Amino acid sequence: MAERESSNLLTRTWNAVWRPTPGSLRLLALIGVIGNVVIVVSGGAVRVTKSGLGCPDWPRCSGDSLVPTHDPEHHVLNMSIEFGNRLITFVVLGVGVLVFVAALRLRPRRRSLVWWALAQPMSVFAQAVIGGIVVLTKLHPAAVSLHFLVSPALLVFCVALWIRAGEGDAPPRPLTGPWTRRLAAALLVSCAAVLVAGTVVTGTGPHAGDAESRRYGFDITDVARIHGELAWLTIALTVLAIVALHRAGAPAAARRRAHELAGLIVLQGAVGYTQYFLGVPAGLVLLHMLGSVLMWIAAFRLFFALRDRGPVPAAAGTAPAAPRPAEAPQPA
């Protein structure tokens, strides 16, 4: 029974990659989104456990060994945590390759999806190179910050592919007025600023990846205050976006995306202030990092929800999907 289920799973996976449908490609894209969220959390685990130099060499773990071995200068737990994070990178790379192959095999082929899919494995290669720089510079805070920020950048490709695979290729038709769309764009900029400021806070504080690693020379109170002020700006922009969407009678999906973003920001703020007053315990740091990427994803989903690109192109040999009813752009 177990062998039959395993065989069926392999067959379904093969078909999803080699004989993809728009639905199976979208599912693979979602797996890519989840994988990149997981790697952010695993990278956070490396930092809060001071395992950043658990594998002191790159691309090997230690000396001539690719895997953790006995090393009197590095505890086996730290080596295992850092090595585990490296393994997850290979998993994410594998998913990215499968997504790219599926996008190539989709019929009719959609060139925009192929480019979004190609960006995923290429970005993982970039992430691996930056990870090597992080190790070789002994966790210089600028390199560590860049290493983290590549993940949100990679999530842009993953989320875009996930959303684009579920819609058509017609020219974007605005569902709201220019003011609301500018608010959504400003939200993306604000969320990006919060992420960047968060890396500076972490690089200044106690969870820089190793007890002996360099820190930024800033005052932790000052950088935490700037990070908090940017978070409050993001909250204000989100409230404005919600009001604008409701006043304009925007589609329910767009309003739902805005409410989801608002909920995540409130939870993220609660975790952030709690960890600050409790002395940044490791568990809350990981939860805060998870919240940061979920907030980033939610902001992009809101941005994409403010336009329509028509129905998904019909697969070869099937009847075309009925066009969506026209919906006039709203004034705000």
Side-chain angles (χ1 to χ4, degrees):
M1 185 67 177
E3 291 181 358
R4 183 183 304 171
E5 291 179 356
S6 177
S7 176
N8 290 338
L9 178 61
L10 288 174
T11 300
R12 289 196 297 269
T13 303
W14 169 261
N15 288 335
V17 175
W18 203 247
R19 300 182 182 88
T21 64
S24 66
L25 176 60
R26 194 159 192 252
L27 177 59
L28 286 171
L30 176 59
I31 294 173
V33 172
I34 294 171
N36 280 279
V37 171
V38 170
I39 203 169
V40 167
V41 177
S42 70
V46 171
R47 300 193 72 169
V48 300
T49 59
K50 295 180 172 57
S51 302
L53 294 176
C55 286
D57 297 312
W58 189 89
R60 297 178 176 86
C61 181
S62 179
D64 294 328
S65 176
L66 290 172
V67 299
T69 57
H70 176 70
D71 189 324
E73 296 184 6
H74 301 278
H75 194 280
V76 65
L77 178 61
N78 297 123
M79 297 184 77
S80 299
I81 292 173
E82 166 61 8
F83 184 70
N85 185 55
R86 294 187 182 188
L87 287 181
I88 293 175
T89 301
F90 284 103
V91 173
V92 174
L93 174 61
V95 172
V97 171
L98 294 179
V99 168
F100 176 60
V101 172
L104 280 175
R105 295 283 303 173
L106 184 68
R107 295 295 181 271
R109 180 177 294 176
R110 301 172 60 189
R111 181 172 298 183
S112 62
L113 300 191
V114 174
W115 285 111
W116 283 118
L118 176 61
Q120 296 187 30
M122 298 303 293
S123 299
V124 176
F125 280 119
Q127 182 79 302
V129 171
I130 297 171
I133 295 173
V134 169
V135 173
L136 295 176
T137 59
K138 304 300 181 184
L139 306 187
H140 189 284
V144 174
S145 295
L146 179 61
H147 192 44
F148 168 80
L149 291 173
V150 169
S151 290
L154 177 53
L155 274 167
V156 174
F157 305 128
C158 297
V159 173
L161 178 63
W162 175 38
I163 293 173
R164 291 287 291 113
E167 60 185 14
D169 293 322
R173 178 172 60 88
L175 299 178
T176 63
W179 164 244
T180 308
R181 297 197 300 277
R182 290 192 193 102
L183 272 177
L187 262 172
L188 286 176
V189 175
S190 176
C191 288
V194 170
L195 289 171
V196 173
T199 66
V200 177
V201 173
T202 304
T204 306
H207 298 299
D210 187 83
E212 304 301 323
S213 63
R214 292 178 58 183
R215 302 312 200 258
Y216 288 120
F218 305 119
D219 181 270
I220 186 64
T221 302
D222 291 339
V223 292
R225 182 181 297 112
I226 293 172
H227 181 56
E229 289 171 352
L230 288 170
W232 278 108
L233 172 62
T234 305
I235 292 173
L237 290 173
T238 303
V239 171
L240 284 175
I242 290 173
V243 172
L245 288 168
H246 279 271
R247 285 177 61 86
R255 295 195 304 254
R256 187 161 56 248
R257 296 287 90 84
H259 293 153
E260 290 169 357
L261 175 59
L264 282 168
I265 291 174
V266 170
L267 290 174
Q268 181 75 338
V271 172
Y273 278 107
T274 301
Q275 70 171 3
Y276 178 78
F277 289 115
L278 293 182
V280 288
L284 287 181
V285 172
L286 288 181
L287 188 60
H288 199 54
M289 292 184 72
L290 172 62
S292 68
V293 291
L294 293 179
M295 180 187 73
W296 180 241
I297 292 170
F300 263 95
R301 294 185 73 195
L302 171 60
F303 183 77
F304 281 119
L306 301 185
R307 86 285 184 276
D308 178 75
R309 301 199 65 167
V312 179
T318 63
R324 297 181 184 178
E327 184 174 351
Q330 301 298 320

